Amino acid sequence: MEWDLVDSIDIEQINSDLKPEMLTMDLGIYFPSNLDTAFRKVTMSQIMVSFLSAKEIYAVADVQLNLLWVKSREVDPRFFSLQANELPEVPSTEYVNTYQHFLRHPYIPTEKVKQAFGSIIEPDENNYRTFYLIVLQEVFLPYLDVSEGRNWMIKSVRTAGLSFPPYSYSGTLPVPFRGVLLLPI
């Protein structure tokens, strides 16, 4: 199923300030057209306001945002609510920091996440170089937390936005999906 460009968004006007000599981050936005009617936490208007604010924030660091597209279409509703990763493995040592632990025991994205991304993100030779904002309704992140001294407890949080950073998913996230940021508010 093909994605439709959102006609009400003027990409040329938004990108009219881009300069060829500046560092540039390419970004595409996917907004499902069939979100549940009770879901009203994220609107296209809010996303565009946030994007324009992000352009200003990144400009301070001499990075410009290039909006490639804003697209919409129906998405399989089973992907509206996802668990981001398999249940994490309990650390085998208390002598390393979080980043070292993730190198030893990276998060593994669930099969449902990989299916969702595969059905949403269009194949392109620059997938690994593109940042994707994808609106969904709920994304849950299971993680480990220390409880009562040296004991570990698996907890889960419903996120307000979730990226799949290389330090957490060291080598476990397929290359085309490395620039994904989910926006379930």
Side-chain angles (χ1 to χ4, degrees):
M1 181 186 301
E2 299 251 340
W3 286 89
D4 298 317
L5 288 172
V6 176
D7 295 334
S8 61
I9 309 293
D10 187 346
I11 303 293
E12 277 188 42
Q13 192 278 325
I14 290 172
N15 290 334
S16 64
D17 61 343
L18 296 181
K19 298 177 182 107
E21 68 277 3
M22 285 186 66
L23 289 174
T24 304
M25 181 186 336
D26 290 338
L27 190 135
I29 299 173
Y30 291 112
F31 197 99
S33 61
N34 61 323
L35 295 169
D36 292 327
T37 55
F39 179 75
R40 297 189 181 127
K41 293 183 178 181
V42 179
T43 66
M44 186 66 71
S45 176
Q46 290 169 325
I47 287 190
M48 295 315 299
V49 166
S50 294
F51 176 81
L52 294 174
S53 293
K55 279 184 69 124
E56 292 176 18
I57 292 165
Y58 278 87
V60 172
D62 292 327
V63 175
Q64 58 190 356
L65 301 184
N66 177 33
L67 184 60
L68 299 174
W69 68 80
V70 179
K71 295 182 178 181
S72 187
R73 69 149 196 204
E74 288 192 7
V75 170
D76 186 335
R78 69 190 173 102
F79 298 139
F80 289 167
S81 181
L82 297 173
Q83 177 177 311
N85 51 276
E86 301 295 340
L87 295 178
E89 186 173 325
V90 174
S92 56
T93 181
E94 62 183 84
Y95 302 107
V96 297
N97 65 35
T98 299
Y99 300 106
Q100 292 168 318
H101 171 72
F102 281 138
L103 284 173
R104 294 177 184 180
H105 306 283
Y107 281 163
I108 298 169
T110 63
E111 284 304 310
K112 193 173 176 184
V113 160
K114 290 189 272 188
Q115 290 170 6
F117 292 173
S119 74
I120 293 171
I121 297 171
E122 300 157 295
D124 186 274
E125 65 182 25
N126 288 316
N127 283 131
Y128 73 101
R129 301 180 66 198
T130 305
F131 193 65
Y132 299 102
L133 297 179
I134 301 173
V135 174
L136 297 176
Q137 292 178 181
E138 298 174 303
V139 179
F140 295 88
L141 176 70
Y143 67 97
L144 291 169
D145 194 25
V146 176
S147 120
E148 299 179 28
R150 298 184 323 208
N151 297 317
W152 291 93
M153 175 186 296
I154 294 177
K155 293 185 176 182
S156 183
V157 63
R158 180 170 52 185
T159 67
L162 179 65
S163 64
F164 289 78
Y167 63 81
S168 301
Y169 292 84
S170 177
T172 63
L173 192 65
V175 172
F177 307 147
R178 291 198 178 155
V180 171
L181 173 62
L182 297 176
L183 295 176
I185 303 287

